[in-house]
């Protein structure tokens, strides 16, 4: 949910700040979605940064619950580590899909968004 909200917020703010560029694309005959594709990519990339940073530090600072649970469940530390990597990859994949679906839903913009307060 955090990735979805962050993606929408970044996309909205970026599109408001760079509306002249999007409007230029629209004036040249691009579709509404084509005119916002650069802002959408930027929003997806920036919204995933916190999750990627959290994934990068997992295991160095804290022992994740899935890892500890797998060890208590009888798995070897190697298998538990492999299980944790699969969990973290699934979280990043789900976040990526969510971010892309959010900008896909918001990308058909024909008028300048209002400034956020």
């Amino acid at each position: 949910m955090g990735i979805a909200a962050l993606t929408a917020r970044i996309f909205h703010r970026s599109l408001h700040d760079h509306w002249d560029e999007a409007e230029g694309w629209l004036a040249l005959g691009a579709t509404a979605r084509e005119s916002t594709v650069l802002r959408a990519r930027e929003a997806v990339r920036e919204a995933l940064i916190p999750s990627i940073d959290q994934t990068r530090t997992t295991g160095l600072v804290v022992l994740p619950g899935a890892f500890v649970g797998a060890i208590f469940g009888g798995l070897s530390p190697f298998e538990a580590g492999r299980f944790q990597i699969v969990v973290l990859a699934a979280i990043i994949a789900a976040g990526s899909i969510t971010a892309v679906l959010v900008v896909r839903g918001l990308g058909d913009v024909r008028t300048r968004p209002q400034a956020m307060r």
Side-chain angles (χ1 to χ4, degrees), residues 41-84:
R41 287 179 184 163
E42 176 186 351
V44 170
R45 184 175 51 250
E46 288 186 27
L48 290 174
I49 289 173
S51 294
I52 292 170
D53 282 344
Q54 180 184 3
T55 301
R56 184 176 45 134
T57 59
T58 299
L60 300 176
V61 179
V62 297
L63 289 175
F67 180 80
V68 174
I71 288 179
F72 284 156
L75 287 179
S76 71
F78 177 75
E79 291 295 321
R82 196 162 66 168
F83 174 67
Q84 183 63 39

Side-chain angles (χ1 to χ4, degrees), residues 11-101:
F11 179 69
H12 186 270
R13 183 179 10 166
S14 179
L15 191 57
H16 180 270
D17 292 345
H18 297 275
W19 180 249
D20 294 340
E21 181 182 326
E23 194 172 38
W25 280 106
L26 289 169
L28 291 173
T31 65
R33 195 170 305 282
E34 290 171 339
S35 69
T36 61
V37 70
L38 294 176
R39 303 297 131 218
R41 287 179 184 163
E42 176 186 351
V44 170
R45 184 175 51 250
E46 288 186 27
L48 290 174
I49 289 173
S51 294
I52 292 170
D53 282 344
Q54 180 184 3
T55 301
R56 184 176 45 134
T57 59
T58 299
L60 300 176
V61 179
V62 297
L63 289 175
F67 180 80
V68 174
I71 288 179
F72 284 156
L75 287 179
S76 71
F78 177 75
E79 291 295 321
R82 196 162 66 168
F83 174 67
Q84 183 63 39
I85 289 171
V86 169
V87 168
L88 292 173
I91 290 170
I92 294 294
S96 300
I97 292 168
T98 299
V100 168
L101 289 175

